[in-house]
Amino acid sequence: MLSFRRKVSKSAQDGATKRAKIQKGRTLQKIIIDCDPGIDDAVAIFLALAARDDIEVLGITCVKGNVGLDKTYRNAQRICAAAGRLDIPVLRGIARPILAPADLAASVHGVDGLGDIDLPLPDDFPETKTHAVDFIRQQVEKYPGEVVVCAIGPLTNVAVALLFDPLLGEKLRSIVFMGGAAYCPGNMNDFAEFNFMVDPHAAEIVLQSGAQLVMFGLDVTQQTRIEELHLARLRQNGNVCSDIAERLLTAYAKGDQHLHDPCVVAWLIEPSIFSGTQSRVRIVTEPGPQFGRSMANIDPHGNCLVMTQVDQQRLFSILLSKLAQWP
Ligand code: BDR
Ligand code: CA
């Protein structure tokens, strides 16, 4: 089992240290959440916003995935509004995969992508003209060596940002993503996981980028299971975000019991609950039955730390206690 090691230059580290905000003796991790909300995306966003002592959310970039881009973009605004965070920039990204067919969607999230629970969209949510890809690049330039891209949808925005700037992978701190199924079957078919199957070419570009990569595939996310007792705890929390999370997860758990996307954020808060193996991972991009499959083998010099184990009790305890402390 390997632990995650940073690969940033000494000067980038020094700069990062100077600029980093310290709160309660801990360095806030600057993250961009690249997502396709999506119910488990919404819970991941709530968790990141609730983890104020650990995480600073620089912005939320949206991509087509579970539902189309117009919906993922508006849903990200709905989630931030519900959390009272109209200050978080929400950016529109890319509306289709790079090369793959554009028609895949995930019905488990409902027609609107948020469980059809009618989460309101305020009229006054600030619109940002900047494109998601430009936003990612600008933030990485602004905070060299510091930005963690948490990608919890198809990797289209992240891949295109890497294509615009081939050095981007070295300038950011890491790309931590939910996607793929390294050492287990997929959830779309025997081979492929949803995010990777939507845009396998993007996933391959990210995997070849030279960035520090941490993969939360189905290997680990399917070890998490939403139970009635978790929903009951959310109800007991008695605050707006816990109530919304409970309604969302109740709708979602009818089709998928696994808390995929929040794993990525939970790792930033408490890495010790996960373990994994350094691996070489590539994606099948050739048409055929294995299209979108992540092929992995254990390799100490591989391109990606693949998470394989989670303490699911501690994972839920982190999620539920962070949401209980909602301001
Ligand atoms: C992934 O697919 C989406 O439906 C979820 O939001 C998650 O990102 C799981 O395969
Ligand atoms: Ca997602």
Side-chain angles (χ1 to χ4, degrees):
M1 300 292 177
L2 294 179
S3 63
F4 176 70
R5 287 189 301 272
R6 279 200 220 173
K7 188 193 70 180
V8 284
S9 68
K10 175 83 173 62
S11 60
Q13 268 178 345
D14 290 344
T17 310
K18 268 188 217 143
R19 276 185 298 277
K21 286 188 205 164
I22 309 289
Q23 232 185 40
K24 294 189 186 166
R26 294 185 71 164
T27 305
L28 288 184
Q29 303 176 74
K30 295 185 188 319
I31 74 167
I32 295 171
I33 304 178
D34 188 72
C35 59
D36 61 336
I39 290 176
D40 57 333
D41 303 72
V43 176
I45 294 169
F46 280 156
L47 179 58
L49 294 177
R52 287 163 182 260
D53 292 346
D54 301 282
I55 289 172
E56 177 186 0
V57 179
L58 298 173
I60 298 181
T61 53
C62 303
V63 68
K64 179 217 150 47
N66 288 316
V67 285
L69 179 67
D70 285 341
K71 288 183 180 173
T72 63
Y73 174 64
R74 293 297 174 201
N75 287 347
Q77 292 182 333
R78 285 188 168 90
I79 296 156
C80 289
R85 295 298 303 272
L86 300 191
D87 57 306
I88 303 277
V90 175
L91 302 301
R92 216 180 249 279
I94 297 177
R96 57 149 295 138
I98 293 175
L99 283 173
D103 55 358
L104 266 189
S107 58
V108 66
H109 302 271
V111 175
D112 73 355
L114 285 182
D116 302 317
I117 65 162
D118 291 330
L119 200 58
L121 175 64
D123 300 335
D124 58 345
F125 201 99
E127 297 288 333
T128 318
K129 289 240 159 53
T130 309
H131 193 277
V133 169
D134 295 328
F135 181 80
I136 294 170
R137 296 181 58 208
Q138 287 162 7
Q139 295 300 307
V140 172
E141 292 300 332
K142 192 168 170 191
Y143 304 112
E146 283 192 70
V147 176
V148 178
V149 176
C150 291
I152 53 178
L155 285 162
T156 321
N157 289 337
V158 184
V160 173
L162 288 161
L163 290 177
F164 267 110
D165 178 1
L167 295 180
L168 192 75
E170 289 170 28
K171 296 179 194 165
L172 47 74
R173 180 170 152 192
S174 57
I175 302 171
V176 186
F177 58 89
M178 190 285 136
Y183 300 109
C184 67
N187 58 2
M188 298 300 287
N189 54 40
D190 284 349
F191 306 107
E193 178 279 333
F194 178 78
N195 288 341
F196 275 21
M197 190 162 175
V198 170
D199 198 340
H201 303 90
E204 184 63 359
I205 289 166
V206 171
L207 283 162
Q208 289 184 19
S209 66
Q212 282 289 319
L213 301 176
V214 188
M215 170 171 162
F216 290 79
L218 299 178
D219 311 78
V220 68
T221 66
Q222 285 192 337
Q223 291 170 32
T224 67
R225 205 177 168 79
I226 302 157
E227 309 277 3
E228 176 48 37
L229 69 108
H230 304 130
L231 301 173
R233 269 283 307 277
L234 284 171
R235 284 192 289 273
Q236 280 163 20
N237 278 353
N239 60 48
V240 172
C241 289
S242 295
D243 286 349
I244 293 170
E246 192 272 336
R247 286 162 64 206
L248 289 170
L249 289 175
T250 299
Y252 173 80
K254 292 179 185 140
D256 188 346
Q257 273 94 42
H258 303 114
L259 203 62
H260 304 283
D261 295 340
C263 286
V264 169
V265 177
W267 179 75
L268 293 173
I269 299 169
E270 191 47 76
S272 69
I273 66 174
F274 295 94
S275 60
T277 50
Q278 197 70 25
S279 302
R280 184 147 304 279
V281 185
R282 74 165 193 88
I283 313 299
V284 177
T285 53
E286 299 79 28
Q290 299 199 18
F291 186 67
R293 180 180 188 179
S294 35
M295 309 281 287
N297 54 284
I298 294 172
D299 177 349
H301 306 291
N303 54 348
C304 190
L305 174 57
V306 174
M307 290 304 174
T308 53
Q309 293 292 329
V310 59
D311 180 336
Q312 83 138 331
Q313 228 178 324
R314 287 181 68 204
L315 174 85
F316 277 102
S317 149
I318 288 166
L319 174 69
L320 297 168
S321 61
K322 288 287 176 200
L323 291 192
Q325 294 155 19
W326 199 273

